[in-house]
Amino acid sequence: LDVPPPMDDLRPASFDWSGPYVGVFGTAIAVDGSFDGTCTLLGVGCAGPGEIAVYTDYEHSGIGYAGGILGGWNYQMDSFVMGIEGDWAFGGTVATNDEPGVDTELSFNSIATLRGRAGFAFDNTLLYFTGGLAAADVVFGAVMSTTESDNQWVTGWTAGGGLEHAFSQSLSGRI
């Protein structure tokens, strides 16, 4: 007579990363750079005929914070997981500078990405790499004798990686 092993001796089912997901996130945005330009007044160079324009190179660094929503879909084959993920973050001021004569401010109003994701699952922990397209609604403002600002969407790429752990079938966290 075959008797099944006791329940305690059975190996628990492995976590399955396959399927859709949605969530929320928070992030830090760091900028380390400088504001390079030529002195302007109402969009016209400050230097008169025969004069040399003033060149500026102001330190422009800072850290800001954003939060948003994300969603994606994964497919798992053995320990290999692949998928696609998108996110949209809402931010604010990232870098400011209060140099005498010119104040500058850099803000990210929105940041969106669409990325592929691939990694290896170790039961309910996933080590992954990601990369794809990125777009940001960036506002740069400078206050000299008048306030000038430029607001535009810029595009580029993003790449990175992380570690995600599933605490239950419906709750995970990542770094």
Side-chain angles (χ1 to χ4, degrees):
L1 185 70
D2 282 342
V3 177
M7 291 298 279
D8 292 341
D9 292 344
L10 293 175
R11 183 178 180 277
S14 181
F15 186 83
D16 187 4
W17 290 91
S18 295
Y21 58 93
V22 295
V24 297
F25 68 95
T27 187
I29 304 167
V31 173
D32 182 20
S34 61
F35 164 55
D36 302 325
T38 303
C39 175
T40 61
L41 179 61
L42 299 175
V44 179
C46 294
E51 296 177 343
I52 297 174
V54 178
Y55 180 75
T56 58
D57 188 13
Y58 298 111
E59 186 274 334
H60 194 80
S61 302
I63 189 164
Y65 302 96
I69 57 174
L70 64 86
W73 180 84
N74 288 327
Y75 180 72
Q76 183 171 346
M77 298 170 291
D78 294 321
S79 293
F80 183 70
V81 178
M82 64 181 180
I84 188 166
E85 181 172 271
D87 57 49
W88 191 291
F90 308 96
T93 300
V94 175
T96 59
N97 180 5
D98 297 327
E99 292 282 341
V102 63
D103 294 334
T104 58
E105 179 176 286
L106 178 66
S107 299
F108 289 90
N109 293 334
S110 297
I111 302 170
T113 69
L114 181 62
R115 305 176 317 280
R117 185 165 97 140
F120 292 96
F122 303 95
D123 197 23
N124 59 340
T125 300
L126 177 65
L127 176 64
Y128 66 90
F129 300 95
T130 183
L133 303 172
D137 179 19
V138 180
V139 179
F140 178 78
V143 178
M144 292 183 219
S145 58
T146 63
T147 301
E148 297 179 23
S149 68
D150 185 20
N151 181 339
Q152 62 182 328
W153 277 91
V154 294
T155 58
W157 58 272
T158 183
L163 186 67
E164 185 170 356
H165 183 77
F167 299 102
S168 71
Q169 280 296 105
S170 58
L171 180 65
S172 70
R174 61 171 75 168
I175 295 176

